Amino acid sequence: MASVVSPITGAVPMPPPPARGAPFRVMPGFGLSLGFTIFYLSLIVLIPLSAVFFKTFTLTWEAFWHAVTSERVVASYKLSFGASLIAAFINVIFGGIVAWVLVRYKFPGKRFIDALVDLPFALPTAVAGITLTALYSSNGWIGRYLEPLGLKVAFTPLGVVVALTFIGLPFVVRTVQPVLEEAERELEEAAASLGANSWQIFARVVFPTITPAMLTGFALAFARATGEYGSVIFIAGNMPMVSEITPLFIITKLEQYDYAGATAIAVVMLLASFAMLLTINLLQAWTRMRGGKR
Amino acid sequence: MSAVLTPPVAAPAKPARRGELPTASNVFEPAWIRVVLITIALLFLTLFLFVPLVAVFAEAFKKGWQAYLAAITDPDAVSAIKLTLIAAGIAVPLNLVFGIAASWAIAKFEFRGKSVLLTLIDLPFSVSPVISGLIYVLLFGAQGWMGPWLQAHDVKILFAVPGIVLATVFITFPFVARELIPLMQSQGTEEEEAALVLGASGWNTFRRVTLPNIKWGLLYGVILCNARAMGEFGAVSVVSGHIRGETNTMPLQVEILYNEYNFAAAFAIASLLALLALVTLAIKSFIEWRLHESQQDDTDPAIQEHIA
């Protein structure tokens, strides 16, 4: 899921491992490095994460079901998943345009802008949260112009969408960019020489090439947005049933010392993110197939 | 195929920068479409990136230099900065060692279950920060697995520095490994094997052959890992307990000041974190440029041969 974070490799799939005929190994340190990897992985990730599932097993099925389907938590699912979908959709459209412009056109300041696209990865989420809130509140730089139009952004679900759009911005750009760079321009040239206009070239040649990458970027942005906490809680207003996201609801449960209830909701979110992880892996396999050449 | 279509180039091809067009003639869109697309992209990025970035610093200096300096030299702020440095100072080296071990095992050897291992290494990226904090509450909290034992032995992990460090280690777990694995896989094992056959010890091979090859990728992973370690909010917020001057990291201090309506001070500390983000991006761009150059060096002979 994080391969997108890496412009060294881009979304470029890992090369297939070299075929090894002989079982004889020249390279040293296999046992040590693999042993340490598995030990550290278990200690830091697997054992702690399994605690969530073991804790859930202490609940009866009825109690679990009650905890994860209460009216307030269902409202938070709707907000978290709904706002994440909208934000990911905004990012697919505008992120796609940004990727296209960065790959295909020349304009002043392009390299600076290219570097700045990763800002949402590097900027701590709490900083993003308070800054967006300041901008979109009724006396903020942007909010003061939206308020007269009847658009309240800060402390409404719309604010959640704004924060999640910011957080997800680099994902689509960074997955589509390498695919566009690798795309075979000859195909577009061929289409042009056969008389296709620029819209036809885009719709019939370019769009099918970048579709898997666009979908991967969408899924990555969506997955990140559903779990996001820091940037949202400042701008959301956090009103139960209206602008309360699921991660915040988990924290609320924790503060009431309802550990079992918090864990039950966490399990629902974990299962959702595992499902998305699987989807993303399948999408990336598809991207690789479409890429073909590698 | 491409050799047939592209006209032969006399001079050695100038390395095309990322995104640069070989020729302008194969842009098919009319000029107005180009202008419209560039305008849309710039407006979108201005609204979502430039304006927030400028706003952080504008808000931080709203009450002048004096207030800014007072805010970042406040004892609570200083202790938050110290704690942030401690957490990152422990989490980054741990995950660096893990990243090297994992990438050595995965990139240099073949074994069953490798793809499962890769997926598991990525897990912390797909877990919500809040859940990352929650798991440590379940383990070390008063009602947790180890809670009674810890209380009996008077060891504090949750709502204390060790909990913050653990949560940070979890959150930043995959960063270095994710950068190194594909890099080392693409480099193969030939160079190491040559060194070993010539009699170098395993450690010397790693130090003299592998390390120089991966140094930029390593640095890349480390700065991303560090940025996340210093900026993490959700997970740390769950395990910290928010004790002023004791268990507050910089992002948590920002939250507390903000919730007290002390906006100028909140943005002053936020501006330090924003500065960290900008430095991270600058180093990252520099490394990408270096890697790009070295890749050009690698491909150059092939291109030359192709042209000849």
Side-chain angles (χ1 to χ4, degrees):
Chain A
M1 122 141 230
S3 56
V4 66
V5 185
S6 148
I8 290 185
T9 53
V12 176
M14 295 169 183
R20 285 188 159 265
F24 174 72
R25 281 180 174 132
V26 186
M27 302 284 290
F30 177 67
L32 179 69
S33 59
L34 187 66
F36 178 74
T37 300
I38 290 173
F39 168 74
Y40 188 75
L41 177 73
S42 309
L43 194 70
I44 300 291
V45 178
L46 300 184
I47 295 172
L49 213 49
S50 68
V52 176
F53 292 96
F54 282 111
K55 181 77 184 175
T56 319
F57 292 146
T58 62
L59 286 171
T60 63
W61 175 249
E62 283 76 24
F64 175 78
W65 189 249
H66 181 74
V68 300
T69 55
S70 75
E71 209 184 350
R72 197 169 147 192
V73 74
V74 170
S76 83
Y77 296 148
K78 280 183 188 159
L79 176 67
S80 268
F81 289 94
S84 302
L85 268 180
I86 297 171
F89 195 70
I90 295 172
N91 275 321
V92 160
I93 293 172
F94 289 97
I97 294 175
V98 169
W100 175 269
V101 163
L102 284 176
V103 172
R104 293 289 168 98
Y105 303 148
K106 280 185 203 170
F107 52 92
K110 190 170 103 164
R111 297 197 57 195
F112 172 72
I113 288 166
D114 196 6
L116 207 64
V117 165
D118 283 326
L119 183 72
F121 283 150
L123 194 70
T125 51
V127 177
I130 63 168
T131 310
L132 291 173
T133 312
L135 285 174
Y136 287 93
S137 61
S138 51
N139 56 358
W141 289 358
I142 299 174
R144 74 172 68 143
Y145 299 107
L146 295 178
E147 198 100 322
L149 305 174
L151 264 179
K152 277 182 81 76
V153 177
F155 317 123
T156 69
L158 202 57
V160 179
V161 174
V162 168
L164 295 180
T165 306
F166 174 83
I167 288 300
L169 196 153
F171 287 97
V172 177
V173 181
R174 292 301 188 225
T175 34
V176 174
Q177 218 175 358
V179 176
L180 270 178
E181 275 164 14
E182 297 283 312
E184 291 182 66
R185 299 297 295 267
E186 290 85 358
L187 292 177
E188 291 166 51
E189 283 165 16
S193 69
L194 292 172
N197 63 31
S198 50
W199 169 249
Q200 284 171 322
I201 294 175
F202 177 76
R204 303 273 183 86
V205 180
V206 178
F207 191 69
T209 316
I210 59 173
T211 305
M214 295 272 261
L215 284 174
T216 309
F218 179 88
L220 287 168
F222 177 72
R224 170 74 204 263
T226 51
E228 178 55 26
Y229 174 71
S231 59
V232 177
I233 53 157
F234 295 99
I235 201 169
N238 307 328
M239 274 167 28
M241 306 295 296
V242 179
S243 58
E244 186 179 51
I245 53 167
T246 311
L248 177 72
F249 194 64
I250 294 178
I251 294 217
T252 312
K253 286 266 181 194
L254 272 180
E255 279 168 358
Q256 297 162 349
Y257 299 103
D258 181 3
Y259 288 8
T263 313
I265 302 165
V267 164
V268 171
M269 291 207 68
L270 272 179
L271 293 178
S273 40
F274 291 161
M276 283 183 278
L277 193 64
L278 188 69
T279 314
I280 291 164
N281 280 342
L282 292 175
L283 281 171
Q284 279 176 339
W286 187 31
T287 315
R288 220 167 300 166
M289 258 171 51
R290 274 292 171 90
K293 292 172 295 182
R294 283 166 182 270
Chain B
M1 180 73 188
S2 60
V4 182
L5 282 179
T6 44
V9 189
K14 193 179 117 223
R17 283 236 177 275
R18 189 173 164 168
E20 209 166 271
L21 296 173
T23 50
S25 65
N26 51 0
V27 172
F28 304 115
E29 305 84 55
W32 69 268
I33 293 187
R34 265 176 274 165
V35 172
V36 167
L37 287 178
I38 292 177
T39 313
I40 293 174
L42 290 183
L43 277 177
F44 178 70
L45 293 178
T46 305
L47 189 64
F48 277 96
L49 295 182
F50 295 110
V51 174
L53 190 59
V54 173
V56 177
F57 293 97
E59 293 280 344
F61 289 106
K62 219 174 193 172
K63 293 191 176 160
W65 271 101
Q66 299 290 329
Y68 182 84
L69 284 178
I72 60 172
T73 51
D74 179 83
D76 285 348
V78 171
S79 90
I81 294 171
K82 270 187 196 152
L83 182 57
T84 298
L85 292 176
I86 291 172
I90 298 173
V92 174
L94 279 180
N95 288 331
L96 171 67
V97 171
F98 162 73
I100 291 174
S103 54
W104 183 265
I106 289 171
K108 306 286 183 194
F109 300 95
E110 289 308 311
F111 54 91
R112 291 175 64 181
K114 192 190 263 193
S115 60
V116 176
L117 186 60
L118 278 170
T119 309
L120 290 177
I121 289 176
D122 266 354
L123 263 186
F125 275 148
S126 52
V127 173
S128 169
V130 169
I131 297 175
S132 313
L134 170 73
I135 59 180
Y136 290 101
V137 174
L138 295 180
L139 281 180
F140 302 116
Q143 310 169 22
W145 281 358
M146 297 174 64
W149 187 89
L150 291 173
Q151 267 181 339
H153 292 78
D154 201 27
V155 180
K156 276 190 78 75
I157 292 184
L158 203 62
F159 310 132
V161 177
I164 291 172
V165 172
L166 277 173
T168 309
V169 171
F170 179 92
I171 285 286
T172 58
F173 179 84
F175 277 94
V176 181
R178 270 313 314 189
E179 295 306 329
L180 286 186
I181 291 168
L183 184 66
M184 280 168 74
Q185 276 184 332
S186 70
Q187 287 170 349
T189 54
E190 286 86 358
E191 291 184 34
E192 281 86 357
E193 278 164 5
L196 290 162
V197 167
L198 292 173
S201 68
W203 169 246
N204 267 331
T205 306
F206 173 76
R207 199 168 56 91
R208 300 273 186 86
V209 179
T210 311
L211 211 51
N213 276 337
I214 61 169
K215 62 174 187 254
W216 293 113
L218 196 68
L219 183 62
Y220 194 95
V222 165
I223 58 151
L224 291 185
C225 184
N226 180 60
R228 184 70 198 266
M230 290 190 170
E232 177 50 30
F233 177 74
V236 172
S237 162
V238 174
V239 298
S240 119
H242 300 95
I243 307 164
R244 288 187 88 122
E246 276 181 48
T247 62
N248 267 347
T249 60
M250 286 166 78
L252 297 178
Q253 186 71 16
V254 168
E255 183 199 17
I256 287 191
L257 291 169
Y258 189 85
N259 287 342
E260 289 171 348
Y261 301 100
N262 193 349
F263 295 141
F267 276 102
I269 296 175
S271 75
L272 294 180
L273 289 167
L275 208 60
L276 167 76
L278 287 179
V279 170
T280 304
L281 289 185
I283 299 176
K284 186 172 158 296
S285 299
F286 173 73
I287 296 171
E288 274 162 18
W289 173 73
R290 286 299 305 244
L291 279 168
H292 190 86
E293 298 285 294
S294 66
Q295 273 169 10
Q296 287 297 332
D297 291 347
D298 288 349
T299 51
D300 260 347
I303 292 172
Q304 307 276 330
E305 199 182 340
H306 191 73
I307 292 162

